[in-house]
Amino acid sequence: MAVEIKEEIERKIKREKEEEEEEKEENGDEDEDEFLVPRKRLRTDQMKEHPLSRNCPYLDTINRSILDFDFEKLCTVSLSNNNVYACLVCGKYFQGRGQHSHAYIHSVQHYHYVFLNLKTLQFYCLPDNYEIIDPSLEDIKHICRPTFTSQEIESLDKSAKWMKALDETKYLPGILGLNNIKANDYMNVILHTLAHITPFRDYFLNEDNYLSITPPPGDQTFTLVHRLGELFRKLWNPRYFLFRAHVSPHEMLQAVSSVSKKRFKIVEQGDPVEFMSWLLNTLHFALSAGKRKNKSSIVYDTFQGEMKIYTRKLPPQTENEDEMMDYLKMEEYKQKEETTPFLYLALDLPAPPLFQDELEKNIIPQIPLFDLLKKFDGTTEKEYKTHRESYVKKFELTKLPPYLILCIKRFTKNNFFVEKNPTIVNFPIKDIDMSEFLSSDPAVQDSHPHTVYDLVANVCHDGQAGPGKGTYRVHLRHKGANQWYELQDLNVKDLLPQMITLAEAYIQIWELRKD
């Protein structure tokens, strides 16, 4: 008898807990994993289809022109990201759909009846609380969360299909402006550039490539992977017209600020080279977290190369030749060799002239890109000084990556301020042959049947101040259209290839030609 009473009490407690969880779920208090598909709600699955599900009378109240799914999915009242619904009439976000939820109260007070669950992408009519099933809403669902098939991904670089936004603005998928919230153009140019690196872009367009990766407990860096994938899918959205011909990177930049512990901010200008280096390394560690043996990732597979560094310590200055020879025989002053990987190559500009020309105007020198690349020919030596010692180094490439990143060092810091070098770098748009900078080792030469690169992206800095000031813009080549474009925040315009070399290049990405 006592056992039966105990079992009855346990069943009653279990039933009360299930009812309590169901009520919390409807009111938006359930804590769901942000990147896992939430389990189906029992009440929605078990109830019969509402007679108005396929004939909702409020669909004409949807205002597509004000819908914006680029912002962080937070309730405007509770600031919670659990069980958030978007009002398709005013565009605001609210939590839950139960009788005491913010979405329910909003629908009653403002007579807004159509809502979208931002996780399940299901449409509901409130306060009647029935699911809306209508094919005319597919465009809203796809713009909120674009998806790509393998065929669509393969065709992105083979065609150029112009689309038209809701306001009749024409745009080309992939060539969309990114909103500058305040001072984030230094991040926008890097995001634009990475979105046009074909293997890197294709990896993030297909969400299945990284959904199976399990990050370590408490690791927040994997948020960047999902946010970057979402941004790329919105930039390259191939189906349905967009509601506006630009994309806001708000969610991506919020994730950057959080993961970097506010090292990179939206409201303060920064250096795109530092941001690019941090972003690529953080993405690599996030994507290789679950791998034990092979620590590679799409980042290293796309951008990583290798070089040999020959380092020789300089002996102290002395007039005695015998003493100098004794120094050179010491192990400390012998040349040392090491092999190290790299994600980008830093090119040193010569110092600008100190004097003006005869017309009392500043001289802006020019230098060929090949002269800067001689730093890596294995014979050119460069001296590096510390506060105590001096070293001479030589660099020699031993492995060329599929995509070569060059960073031109335009800024030097002295004791007083940061000075910009305005030297113009002359470079061709195609046919940069890197074979003369490869090691003469036959094994290295045989492993590189292709050594010619073509330019795919060029980031420029405008202004006389340091990297934390001025503005940034980027030149991109759309492969499908075979056309160059200049993008600066929301401004997008086509560009002649001859105009690219006139700008003060700061970051360049070159693609290895394999045909």
Side-chain angles (χ1 to χ4, degrees):
M1 186 68 178
V3 175
E4 294 178 357
I5 295 176
K6 183 178 179 180
E7 291 178 352
E8 180 65 26
I9 293 175
E10 289 178 352
R11 284 196 296 268
K12 184 177 180 180
I13 294 175
K14 184 177 180 181
R15 186 165 59 252
E16 289 177 353
K17 286 184 178 180
E18 291 177 352
E19 292 175 356
E20 183 180 354
E21 289 178 359
E22 185 176 354
E23 182 179 356
K24 285 183 179 181
E25 186 176 333
E26 287 192 354
N27 289 313
D29 295 330
E30 184 180 12
D31 187 14
E32 296 174 336
D33 191 337
E34 184 176 1
F35 299 117
L36 293 179
V37 178
R39 58 186 176 85
K40 295 183 178 179
R41 289 164 170 74
L42 298 176
R43 182 166 296 182
T44 302
D45 292 346
Q46 294 177 353
M47 68 179 183
K48 295 182 179 180
E49 185 178 307
H50 194 279
L52 293 178
S53 293
R54 299 182 182 273
N55 191 24
C56 181
Y58 303 114
L59 294 183
D60 58 346
T61 63
I62 297 176
N63 190 355
R64 285 174 168 81
S65 62
I66 66 172
L67 297 181
D68 191 349
F69 300 113
D70 295 338
F71 290 96
E72 198 169 1
K73 310 301 188 294
L74 298 177
C75 174
T76 57
V77 180
S78 65
L79 300 182
S80 172
N81 61 352
N82 292 324
N83 201 20
V84 179
Y85 289 77
C87 176
L88 301 186
V89 182
C90 66
K92 295 181 180 180
Y93 297 161
F94 298 96
Q95 188 181 19
R97 72 171 193 274
Q99 291 188 0
H100 302 290
S101 65
H102 300 299
Y104 185 94
I105 296 173
H106 175 77
S107 68
V108 174
Q109 290 181 345
H110 299 276
Y111 305 104
H112 295 174
Y113 304 115
V114 186
F115 290 80
L116 169 65
N117 187 304
L118 295 176
K119 289 191 181 294
T120 65
L121 297 185
Q122 293 174 296
F123 298 88
Y124 293 94
C125 180
L126 299 180
D128 296 337
N129 197 21
Y130 62 84
E131 185 179 358
I132 302 174
I133 303 173
D134 195 288
S136 65
L137 302 176
E138 288 297 317
D139 61 333
I140 299 177
K141 184 186 300 186
H142 187 76
I143 289 176
C144 178
R145 190 183 299 169
T147 57
F148 284 76
T149 64
S150 300
Q151 293 77 12
E152 289 172 339
I153 294 176
E154 292 176 359
S155 64
L156 289 179
D157 292 337
K158 299 178 181 178
S159 63
K161 182 179 180 182
W162 285 85
M163 309 283 286
K164 187 179 291 186
L166 196 62
D167 59 356
E168 302 297 323
T169 304
K170 292 184 178 180
Y171 67 92
L172 187 63
I175 307 295
L176 289 172
L178 285 177
N179 190 26
N180 189 346
I181 300 173
K182 187 172 183 181
N184 56 277
D185 56 330
Y186 75 100
M187 291 191 276
N188 286 352
V189 292
I190 298 301
L191 296 175
H192 266 309
T193 300
L194 296 179
H196 282 77
I197 308 303
T198 301
F200 189 83
R201 174 204 66 193
D202 294 350
Y203 178 87
F204 285 94
L205 289 181
N206 188 356
E207 200 172 7
D208 294 337
N209 289 329
Y210 48 85
L211 275 182
S212 59
I213 300 177
T214 304
D219 184 14
Q220 298 297 322
T221 59
F222 210 79
T223 308
L224 283 177
V225 177
H226 289 277
R227 293 290 179 250
L228 189 64
E230 292 172 0
L231 180 63
F232 282 5
R233 286 190 289 273
K234 290 179 179 179
L235 283 172
W236 287 94
N237 191 346
R239 288 177 284 171
Y240 299 106
F241 61 85
L242 295 181
F243 299 155
R244 55 188 58 81
H246 69 270
V247 176
S248 176
H250 188 273
E251 284 190 289
M252 176 63 189
L253 301 186
Q254 288 286 357
V256 168
S257 178
S258 175
V259 175
S260 68
K261 295 180 171 50
K262 297 186 178 180
R263 176 184 173 186
F264 302 101
K265 303 177 183 178
I266 300 175
V267 297
E268 184 178 329
Q269 187 72 284
D271 188 351
V273 174
E274 292 183 7
F275 172 67
M276 177 188 67
S277 177
W278 173 87
L279 179 62
L280 292 179
N281 282 288
T282 305
L283 289 173
H284 164 71
F285 287 121
L287 293 172
S288 61
K291 301 178 181 179
R292 295 182 179 178
K293 295 182 180 180
N294 184 12
K295 288 293 184 180
S296 183
S297 68
I298 185 61
V299 178
Y300 280 12
D301 293 342
T302 306
F303 300 110
Q304 189 184 62
E306 287 184 356
M307 69 168 71
K308 284 185 178 180
I309 303 178
Y310 303 92
T311 306
R312 177 168 53 88
K313 184 179 178 180
L314 294 178
Q317 295 292 335
T318 178
E319 296 181 357
N320 190 331
E321 294 186 2
D322 294 335
E323 188 176 351
M324 179 66 70
M325 294 301 296
D326 292 337
Y327 276 122
L328 295 178
K329 292 179 181 179
M330 297 174 62
E331 186 68 24
E332 181 181 359
Y333 296 99
K334 291 183 179 180
Q335 181 172 275
K336 298 179 181 179
E337 175 186 329
E338 64 173 333
T339 301
T340 181
F342 67 87
L343 288 179
Y344 65 89
L345 300 178
L347 306 182
D348 302 318
L349 287 174
L354 299 177
F355 305 101
Q356 296 178 333
D357 60 10
E358 62 274 7
L359 300 178
E360 296 185 356
K361 293 184 178 180
N362 291 327
I363 302 173
I364 301 180
Q366 301 184 27
I367 186 171
L369 179 63
F370 282 101
D371 289 355
L372 302 182
L373 288 172
K374 287 181 180 179
K375 173 183 176 181
F376 303 97
D377 60 4
T379 58
T380 302
E381 294 185 336
K382 182 175 176 59
E383 185 177 351
Y384 294 85
K385 294 183 178 181
T386 64
H387 64 287
R388 290 184 178 179
E389 301 167 337
S390 297
Y391 296 87
V392 170
K393 293 187 178 183
K394 296 187 297 183
F395 304 91
E396 187 179 47
L397 303 182
T398 57
K399 179 184 177 183
L400 295 176
Y403 286 82
L404 179 65
I405 303 179
L406 303 179
C407 297
I408 301 171
K409 298 175 66 175
R410 289 199 171 274
F411 305 100
T412 55
K413 186 176 182 180
N414 53 33
N415 294 331
F416 304 99
F417 55 87
V418 177
E419 183 181 8
K420 179 182 177 181
N421 191 330
T423 301
I424 298 296
V425 179
N426 296 321
F427 55 90
I429 304 300
K430 297 182 178 181
D431 302 331
I432 288 287
D433 193 351
M434 297 293 293
S435 59
E436 61 181 282
F437 308 109
L438 274 174
S439 172
S440 57
D441 187 350
V444 174
Q445 294 287 336
D446 294 341
S447 62
H448 291 80
H450 307 288
T451 58
V452 178
Y453 284 83
D454 297 330
L455 184 67
V456 294
N458 182 51
V459 176
C460 311
H461 177 267
D462 299 317
Q464 296 300 323
K469 298 181 181 178
T471 58
Y472 293 94
R473 52 195 170 99
V474 61
H475 303 137
L476 297 171
R477 183 171 74 90
H478 192 284
K479 294 183 179 179
N482 195 23
Q483 171 68 45
W484 282 91
Y485 292 90
E486 180 181 277
L487 294 90
Q488 186 173 16
D489 299 331
L490 297 180
N491 300 319
V492 179
K493 63 179 181 181
D494 54 3
L495 189 71
L496 293 175
Q498 297 84 347
M499 302 298 293
I500 298 175
T501 58
L502 302 179
E504 298 175 355
Y506 190 36
I507 302 173
Q508 294 182 338
I509 299 186
W510 297 78
E511 181 183 14
L512 182 64
R513 190 194 302 168
K514 296 184 179 180
D515 53 10

